[in-house]
Amino acid sequence: VRKLHIEPDRAAAIEFAMRGATAGDTVVCAGKGHESSIIGPAGSTPWDERGEVEAALRRLRDGAHPR
């Protein structure tokens, strides 16, 4: 059974994917890594995909609650 989860917040989506991954899985964050901003309903916002991935990994490592 396949399940679909739609998460409009990209940072939350990254963390959701990482929390769902198990040993041997690969999480691919594609499409925004080269961009320095993300455009949403409120306009352009600074964005650092690598920084968000690193922050999510730290939260997972430290056992912190999801964002």
Side-chain angles (χ1 to χ4, degrees):
V1 175
R2 292 183 180 185
K3 294 182 180 180
L4 174 66
H5 178 86
I6 297 174
E7 175 55 67
D9 180 295
R10 192 162 178 91
I14 289 169
E15 187 161 337
F16 179 85
M18 290 182 171
R19 285 189 181 278
T22 59
D25 288 350
T26 300
V27 175
V28 177
C29 299
K32 289 284 183 198
H34 65 289
E35 297 182 27
S36 60
S37 65
I38 193 166
I39 299 172
S44 183
T45 304
W47 178 253
D48 178 7
E49 186 108 330
R50 177 181 283 175
E52 290 294 335
V53 168
E54 290 172 349
L57 287 171
R58 279 192 301 277
R59 285 190 295 276
L60 287 169
R61 179 196 65 204
D62 298 342
H65 293 286
R67 259 186 118 172

